Amino acid sequence: ASLAEEPSIELAGEVSAGRVAMVGAHRLARRALLACLVGCCLVVQLSWRGGHDSVLAAVMPAAPAGADVRRKRFALFIDSDAHGPANWAPALQAVRGEGDVVAACLFLAAGSPQSEDPSWKSTLDALGIQAKVVPADEASLELAAEAAQLVAEGKVEVIALAVKDGDFHFLAEKIQECVQVFSPGAKFEMMEIG
């Protein structure tokens, strides 16, 4: 074997509609991390021949011809009882690390001191988060209805919730129920922001 040979690639597992692309070493790590985050399970075994130390091979699905490759669209909903101003920017950053934030909303209980606090309003405005003041006993219903509407209208693929520990599963179920009413069969994902 000559030292000038290209690296050989062995694939383990089934790869449908895939293609092998040559990428730099730094991009392979990023692609592997992304594949893990979205639940892809591809195993790539690389064996090197020769002095190719800056080029690796990665397996990635082929995009259909003319397809628009884009990031997922997210809506972020925050419970003000669970997350105050110190958590808003990190929550946005966490979601932006996964995709594009197309809607962000903080639910405030009507009559609470925070609903009248000008510093909260200015911070929310600066971050681009909409403040929604709702009756405390209707906040879950309002959140679920708003999330379901965004999914049903095709504006988002992922709903991110920054809520109390015990509320995530309850709200996820309510959102799913609402989506089935507005748009039966619509597909979306849920993301919990801690």
Side-chain angles (χ1 to χ4, degrees), residues 75-80 88 92 101-108 124 128-134 142-143 146 150 160-162:
L76 171 62
F77 295 100
I78 304 170
D79 178 355
S80 65
W88 302 339
L92 276 171
V101 178
V102 297
C105 186
L106 176 87
F107 285 84
L108 293 156
L124 290 167
I129 300 173
Q130 176 188 12
K132 212 165 226 244
V133 180
V134 297
E142 290 282 341
L143 187 151
E146 182 139 343
L150 289 170
L161 298 177

Side-chain angles (χ1 to χ4, degrees), residues 73 75 144-159 175-188:
R73 294 168 296 155
E146 182 139 343
Q149 182 178 358
L150 289 170
V151 170
E153 292 174 352
K155 294 180 179 177
V156 299
E157 292 101 13
V158 184
I159 302 295
I175 293 168
Q176 181 64 37
E177 290 170 9
C178 288
V179 167
Q180 291 310 309
V181 169
F182 290 128
S183 183
K187 303 288 185 204
F188 69 99

Side-chain angles (χ1 to χ4, degrees), residues 15-140:
V15 178
S16 62
R19 68 180 172 91
V20 177
M22 299 303 288
V23 297
H26 64 284
R27 293 185 67 188
L28 177 65
R30 182 175 177 190
R31 289 182 193 277
L33 178 59
L34 180 60
C36 290
L37 290 174
V38 297
C40 295
C41 296
L42 298 175
V43 179
V44 179
Q45 297 174 341
L46 301 172
S47 62
W48 287 106
R49 294 186 201 131
H52 303 284
D53 60 355
S54 64
V55 179
L56 295 177
V59 175
M60 49 190 275
D68 178 25
V69 180
R70 61 179 177 79
R71 295 165 40 101
K72 287 186 179 182
R73 294 168 296 155
F74 283 74
L76 171 62
F77 295 100
I78 304 170
D79 178 355
S80 65
D81 291 342
H83 297 284
N87 295 337
W88 302 339
L92 276 171
Q93 184 178 3
V95 175
R96 285 182 180 136
E98 299 295 321
D100 297 323
V101 178
V102 297
C105 186
L106 176 87
F107 285 84
L108 293 156
S112 68
Q114 297 88 352
S115 67
E116 304 296 327
D117 187 335
S119 68
W120 276 48
K121 173 90 171 107
S122 65
T123 302
L124 290 167
D125 288 344
L127 292 170
I129 300 173
Q130 176 188 12
K132 212 165 226 244
V133 180
V134 297
D137 59 344
E138 296 178 15
S140 296

